[in-house]
């Protein structure tokens, strides 16, 4: 998408989807309807971006938006033309994250963090903590209540962390930690936060 994005030593990657009705937040469609679920995707992406922009005022980072669905024109019409956009690309979530880390490190980043937009607790303060903790560990994880993780940070590319993971299940965090232990990685953690994936999670967003 962007030919030569400028990447700082500290780089944040935001994974999101274009809010196309019927293709996003599908587990929430029974509660919100097709349009409502897409609108929630839109709102949560915009909220996450607002927190990232707050972080940029106090911390020297660069960031990019990695998107699925839609196209560059639709994304720019929605979020503006001034941001660095990249396609998530092919493969499962692990392959897409692995490639995103590789790309950022190849462009000169030293500390790289990936987040999604599903966790309203990921604010500027949590992201600042992530970049503060990252130099002192091999792998940084933000555990999610549902057994996954809402944030992952690395100081170098470690592809093994993204293979043989049952993405979308409650085993994701533990499987990742098990691989890290096999690789003798030092793992650090942020606070546990809740994602908004199912109808019963909606109060988390409403109460943010």
């Amino acid at each position: 998408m962007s030919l030569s994005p400028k990447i700082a030593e500290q780089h944040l990657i935001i994974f999101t989807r274009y809010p196309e009705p019927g293709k996003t937040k599908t587990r929430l469609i029974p509660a919100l309807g097709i349009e409502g679920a897409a609108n929630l995707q839109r709102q949560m992406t915009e909220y996450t971006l607002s927190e990232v922009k707050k972080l940029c005022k106090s911390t020297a980072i660069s960031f990019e938006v990695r998107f699925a669905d839609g196209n560059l024109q639709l994304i720019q019409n929605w979020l503006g033309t001034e941001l660095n956009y990249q396609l998530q690309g092919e493969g499962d979530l692990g392959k897409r994250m692995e490639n995103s880390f590789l790309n950022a490190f190849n462009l000169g980043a030293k500390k790289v963090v990936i987040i999604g937009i599903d966790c309203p607790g990921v604010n500027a303060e949590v992201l600042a903590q992530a970049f503060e903790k990252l130099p002192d560990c091999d792998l940084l994880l933000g555990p999610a209540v549902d057994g996954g993780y809402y944030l992952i940070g690395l100081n170098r590319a470690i592809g093994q962390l993204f293979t043989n993971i049952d993405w979308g299940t409650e085993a994701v965090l533990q499987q990742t930690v098990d691989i890290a232990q096999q690789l003798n990685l030092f793992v650090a953690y942020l606070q546990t936060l809740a994602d908004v994936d199912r109808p019963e999670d909606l109060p988390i967003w409403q109460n943010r």
Side-chain angles (χ1 to χ4, degrees):
M1 300 286 111
S2 302
L3 293 178
S4 55
K6 186 164 174 50
I7 284 192
E9 288 198 359
Q10 299 187 124
H11 187 64
L12 177 67
I13 300 169
I14 305 162
F15 267 51
T16 192
R17 287 184 172 276
Y18 182 75
E20 186 174 334
K23 285 197 169 183
T24 183
K25 291 282 174 211
T26 52
R27 284 182 284 187
L28 290 168
I29 288 173
L32 299 176
I34 289 174
E35 294 290 342
N39 195 42
L40 182 66
Q41 171 75 16
R42 181 183 297 273
Q43 291 173 358
M44 293 187 76
T45 300
E46 291 170 1
Y47 171 75
T48 300
L49 270 171
S50 72
E51 291 299 315
V52 170
K53 288 175 181 177
K54 280 185 203 171
L55 176 70
C56 289
K57 292 176 181 174
S58 60
T59 307
I61 69 159
S62 54
F63 71 92
E64 67 188 66
V65 175
R66 287 248 165 189
F67 70 94
D69 298 333
N71 56 47
L72 181 60
Q73 187 65 56
L74 288 169
I75 290 280
Q76 288 182 329
N77 290 347
W78 168 30
L79 297 174
T81 57
E82 73 280 3
L83 302 183
N84 173 11
Y85 300 105
Q86 305 290 338
L87 280 167
Q88 287 185 19
E90 300 298 320
D92 66 8
L93 178 61
K95 178 53 68 177
R96 286 177 275 142
M97 287 200 291
E98 180 186 355
N99 288 339
S100 298
F101 273 118
L102 268 173
N103 182 249
F105 287 123
N106 286 339
L107 288 171
K110 305 294 184 195
K111 305 180 192 74
V112 181
V113 169
I114 291 180
I115 58 170
I117 55 87
D118 297 328
C119 183
V122 179
N123 55 26
E125 184 180 356
V126 169
L127 293 171
Q129 289 172 5
F131 283 105
E132 286 166 13
K133 282 186 172 234
L134 197 46
D136 300 320
C137 62
D138 299 306
L139 167 65
L140 178 67
L141 292 169
V145 172
D146 63 8
Y149 55 78
Y150 62 84
L151 179 151
I152 181 168
L154 293 171
N155 300 303
R156 66 184 191 281
I158 307 173
Q160 297 98 312
L161 293 170
F162 305 101
T163 56
N164 299 317
I165 303 287
D166 297 316
W167 301 108
T169 73
E170 60 189 20
V172 169
L173 181 74
Q174 190 56 56
Q175 289 175 338
T176 304
V177 172
D178 290 344
I179 293 168
Q181 289 173 341
Q182 291 165 14
L183 297 172
N184 292 316
L185 302 180
F186 179 69
V187 185
Y189 298 92
L190 296 166
Q191 68 208 79
T192 301
L193 296 172
D195 284 337
V196 177
D197 288 322
R198 297 176 175 85
E200 58 266 29
D201 302 329
L202 285 170
I204 298 163
W205 172 247
Q206 289 152 358
N207 296 335
R208 79 190 188 283

